[in-house]
Amino acid sequence: MTALIEASSPHVMNTYGRLPIAMSHGQGAWVWDVNGRKYLDGLGGIAVNTLGHNHPKLVPALQDQIAKLIHCCNYYHVPGQEALAKKLVEFSGMSNVFFCSTGLEANEAALKLARKFGHDKGIERPEIVVYEKAFHGRSIATLSATGNEKIQKGFGPLVEGFIRVPVNNIDALKKATEGNPNVVAVFFETIQGEGGINAMHLDYLRQVRALCDERDWLMMIDEVQCGMGRTGKWFAHQWAGIVPDVMPLAKGLGSGVPIGAVVAGPKAAAIFQPGNHGTTFGGNPLAMRAGVETIRIMEEDGLLANAAQVGEHLRAALQRELGGLPGVKEIRGQGLMLGIDLDRPCGALTQRAADAGLLLSVTADSVIRLVPPLILTADEADQIVAILAPLVKAFLSESTQ
Ligand SMILES: Cc1ncc(COP(=O)(O)O)c(C=O)c1O
């Protein structure tokens, strides 16, 4: 018998509660650990691996790019930036893009845009509306915008200038901003990911759009997790038929190569001028090639439609197996961004699912989250349900609320 390789990282800073598993390689929607165990990837590196693993079209393209040029810097034009920006502009109906490398960086840029938007109008202390249960990242500014005290604890003083409101309540938004001339923007996720797969209602999105127009605020939509085709449209807010003024992206945009982007519409596209913002890695040739190829493959292989269809298949199957069971509050989400909301904390299910050969996460303590690669097949969706449903049933019958 071959000895098992222990999964441990004593010299890595202890910032994650990791499972005792170390991954080795992947293929499609499957990954293998260093001991040869196979897992169905229901997590996609937290909504990152759009094309799954070892995609036959992406890998050669990245190899080609690595051999040509990995990085230069933004002192020069990077043709890939224009190619990717053109696509994002086309899909979003917006006008210009700033590139960076992560979600929090994209959100930092959005927050800076909002503040400068205000300063340019003579507002010296701009304020930005943010939401309960929101997650925008772990930098000091983005964790201040995040609506989760656990994430903020120990990092005060937080950045000021945020007004927090509940989701899907237009009256609360109006009341919280009433008579306040310093408000410059409303900032939210179309579907909150870390907060527990909580969607903004389409009507609410339209009402916020109208309010932003009426009051000359920027509508800033964090599509870092729910964007890039995951819900079956390029961007989740498009289900409401609206166009934001600022849209941070990251995660799935590069299929695993670090990348972030802020897409801006006409109201925000010219706010930054040379010297206002920048980043060394942002927009480098490798990341841009990853973005361009991800989009090309998504278009060629019809992955928006796949996300919508397989997502609905998965949701319906989960609903059939688990919907209505005592302890299952709701099965929700859209496309391949789904949550099973239980009435009790269920973090233990991540290890149990991995033991049974399925990767997933639990977010907001009690919501089982599935954000698999967009190449997932209906058969693989059935396999997810076949593994997960008995685990959830056993968990609910043995644990008390
Ligand atoms: C909606 C949203 N915004 C921002 C972030 C932060 O992205 P990153 O971890 O790349 O900084 C995340 C990460 O989970 C996210 O889900």
Side-chain angles (χ1 to χ4, degrees), residues 10 68 92 143 170 204 222 249 312 388:
K68 281 185 181 145
S92 64
L143 75 80
I170 197 72
Y204 182 75
D222 177 349
L249 298 172
E312 182 49 30
L388 185 55

Side-chain angles (χ1 to χ4, degrees), residues 46 102-105 107 135-137 189 194 222 224-225 250-251:
I46 322 182
T102 65
L104 83 78
E105 253 192 285
N107 285 337
F135 182 81
H136 297 296
E189 303 149 84
E194 304 307 301
D222 177 349
V224 165
Q225 187 163 156
K251 288 195 183 275

